[in-house]
Amino acid sequence: YDVFETGEGEWVMVIGDVCGKGPEAAALTGLVRHTVRAVSVRERRPSAVLNLVNRQIKLEDTDRFCTIAFARLHHNGDGRISLTVASGGHPPPLLLRARRSVEATDSRGQLLGVLDRPELIDRPVELEGGDVVLFYTDGVTEPFDRAGVPAEARIVSVLWACADEDATGIATRIEREVLEFTEGPPRDDVAIMVLRVTPS
């Protein structure tokens, strides 16, 4: 996961997961992270960034792959905040509106490193004061799945219940819920990123 500035009023948020563990998986993680940072400076469309990441993975001639959810945030001069999201095989970010409704960003696409031309879609989202965007890895959903609990529905329920929390409070609440369903050490990495728009 990473968050970085690409220009005045523009930021990138990215979260992902690579296939496997060990040195080869770590090397792929480094390749993806550096490619995202380098390409994001000159390429605005999230889907185009992910296509270039996919190309770099394919050039490595590896049987490993990765999933990524990528978002570019733009703070407009008139105070509006827009988010454009693309997902390469990764759970799409969830959006909690200040009016207490939860939406999926509907940005699902194919994972990276397998196909030459994966299907990737840019989804624009307009954010308002108080809105929350939640990014997470499948390490968050797996404990619920193993317990026979519908994972996305459970995350939506927790997210809705902590609508009055700040970003740190929301992340802590979701992490605590995941750990309650986890027997023993987590089997997969658990990563949570929360963006909350400060009300004007």
Side-chain angles (χ1 to χ4, degrees):
Y1 59 90
D2 204 356
V3 179
F4 55 93
E5 190 173 11
T6 57
E8 186 174 352
E10 289 203 345
W11 292 78
V12 161
M13 301 181 71
V14 59
I15 192 167
D17 199 5
V18 300
C19 168
K21 299 183 182 299
E24 290 186 9
L28 180 57
T29 299
L31 171 71
V32 170
R33 180 189 295 268
H34 293 306
T35 303
V36 166
R37 277 191 167 251
V39 171
S40 296
V41 175
R42 68 176 190 271
E43 181 56 69
R44 295 187 54 79
R45 291 181 301 123
S47 62
V49 173
L50 296 189
N51 264 311
L52 288 168
V53 170
N54 182 72
R55 186 181 304 172
Q56 287 300 118
I57 297 173
K58 295 287 289 181
L59 287 173
E60 291 295 303
D61 193 26
T62 176
D63 59 356
R64 294 186 182 273
F65 56 85
C66 78
T67 67
I68 297 180
F70 181 105
R72 183 180 294 277
L73 182 147
H74 181 70
H75 193 286
N76 301 291
D78 58 4
R80 292 183 300 115
I81 297 177
S82 58
L83 196 71
T84 306
V85 183
S87 177
H90 200 84
L94 293 175
L95 176 62
L96 170 64
R97 293 293 189 182
R99 57 182 178 269
R100 297 179 76 89
S101 64
V102 179
E103 310 165 9
T105 53
D106 192 25
S107 57
R108 295 184 185 275
Q110 294 174 311
L111 55 79
L112 308 183
V114 176
L115 303 174
D116 289 334
R117 296 180 180 273
E119 182 178 341
L120 300 165
I121 303 169
D122 292 313
R123 293 294 187 197
V125 178
E126 293 297 319
L127 300 178
E128 301 174 355
D131 286 350
V132 174
V133 185
L134 170 66
F135 299 78
Y136 58 95
T137 60
D138 59 6
V140 171
T141 58
E142 285 178 355
F144 300 119
D145 291 334
R146 288 197 298 271
V149 176
E152 188 167 298
R154 186 71 179 194
I155 294 171
V156 168
S157 175
V158 175
L159 186 58
W160 188 87
C162 55
D164 295 327
E165 301 272 2
D166 61 13
T168 301
I170 293 171
T172 301
R173 178 81 173 268
I174 293 171
E175 181 185 29
R176 186 165 62 241
E177 188 79 9
V178 170
L179 293 177
E180 286 179 3
F181 277 81
T182 302
E183 296 182 1
R187 299 183 186 179
D188 203 353
D189 296 330
V190 174
I192 301 165
M193 288 198 313
V194 180
L195 165 70
R196 176 142 217 171
V197 180
T198 303
S200 56

